[in-house]
């Protein structure tokens, strides 16, 4: 198995990816082989825990294209860390088309794989992009209204109002080419002495 840095165009920008070439193949023939196209969930990048999955797929004999969405990680895009469902779905579709064009990939055996927010993207990509052979959606984010209900259940209306205020403030700043950022992880806990 080998990993190389590759890039593909999407929405006038460049997405960067790791391409994993497979190890020994237990399937019939040597080439072309299937490819798994994968990306991370909300606010995360390809180097945030997905490498072991990609390495296992490659060890099992498949190609893997593990990419960062525009605005995240090594990919282009300003402002940084912009979550845009429309753009991320476009990036996923372009990643599938890029994988199909790789010479040693079987274009009829492309699978999409996503986790959390990207699990929803994988499912939508499989439905929209003709010829996707399989979709793996690990704990996919599929229903925004259901997510809002869960926030109300476990965090209460005050937290939902805070999140809404963050979103509204970001919308107010957008016409001025500014963005309002909200951390997607908690601050590091202090050690107990």
């Amino acid at each position: 198995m080998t990993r190389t840095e590759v890039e593909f165009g999407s929405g006038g920008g460049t997405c960067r990816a790791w391409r994993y070439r497979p190890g020994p193949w237990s399937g019939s023939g040597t080439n072309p082989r299937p490819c798994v196209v994968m990306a991370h969930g909300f606010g995360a990048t390809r180097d945030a825990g997905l490498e072991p999955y990609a390495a296992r797929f490659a060890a099992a004999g498949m190609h893997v294209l593990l990419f960062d969405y525009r605005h995240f990680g090594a990919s282009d895009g300003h402002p940084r860390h912009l979550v845009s469902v429309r753009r991320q779905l476009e990036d996923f579709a372009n990643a599938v088309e890029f994988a199909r064009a790789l010479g040693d990939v079987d274009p009829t055996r492309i699978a999409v794989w996503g986790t959390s927010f990207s699990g929803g993207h994988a499912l939508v990509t499989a439905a929209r992009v003709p010829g996707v052979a399989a979709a793996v959606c690990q704990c996919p984010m599929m229903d925004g209204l259901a997510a809002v209900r869960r926030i109300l259940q476990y965090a209460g209306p005050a937290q939902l109002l805070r999140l809404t205020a963050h979103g509204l403030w970001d919308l107010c700043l957008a016409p001025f080419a500014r963005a309002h950022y909200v951390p997607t992880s908690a601050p590091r806990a202090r050690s107990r002495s």
Side-chain angles (χ1 to χ4, degrees):
M1 174 197 73
T2 60
R3 185 185 90 180
T4 56
E5 182 85 16
V6 296
E7 57 185 44
F8 60 91
S10 187
T14 301
C15 289
R16 291 185 177 77
W18 288 325
R19 179 184 182 193
Y20 293 77
R21 284 197 160 94
W25 176 243
S26 60
S28 60
T30 56
N31 278 318
R33 297 188 193 177
C35 182
V36 178
V37 177
M38 57 191 307
H40 216 306
F42 189 84
T45 57
R46 60 186 166 162
D47 58 352
L50 293 187
E51 290 181 86
Y53 292 94
R56 289 296 296 263
F57 291 137
M62 294 175 264
H63 292 276
V64 178
L65 185 69
L66 171 54
F67 73 97
D68 282 331
Y69 296 111
R70 278 177 286 165
H71 307 281
F72 284 92
S75 293
D76 294 349
H78 293 283
R80 299 305 294 163
H81 309 116
L82 172 68
V83 176
S84 168
V85 172
R86 180 186 56 79
R87 290 178 188 184
Q88 290 180 347
L89 288 172
E90 181 180 16
D91 295 346
F92 224 129
N94 286 321
V96 168
E97 293 310 315
F98 176 79
R100 279 191 176 133
L102 297 171
D104 49 352
V105 168
D106 182 344
T108 67
R109 294 189 293 166
I110 301 289
V112 291
W113 186 100
T115 185
S116 188
F117 201 60
S118 186
H121 291 349
L123 191 62
V124 171
T125 299
R128 288 184 178 172
V129 176
V132 170
V136 177
C137 307
Q138 179 177 273
C139 57
M141 165 53 174
M142 297 298 303
D143 186 337
L145 186 56
V148 167
R149 286 186 189 124
R150 286 291 299 140
I151 291 170
L152 280 171
Q153 287 176 345
Y154 74 81
Q159 179 62 19
L160 184 58
L161 288 172
R162 278 191 289 279
L163 291 172
T164 301
H166 284 297
L168 291 172
W169 183 240
D170 189 52
L171 286 173
C172 290
L173 293 174
F176 304 103
R178 295 185 55 214
H180 173 65
Y181 292 95
V182 178
T184 58
S185 62
R188 179 178 284 191
R190 290 187 217 166
S191 63
R192 297 179 186 177
S193 302

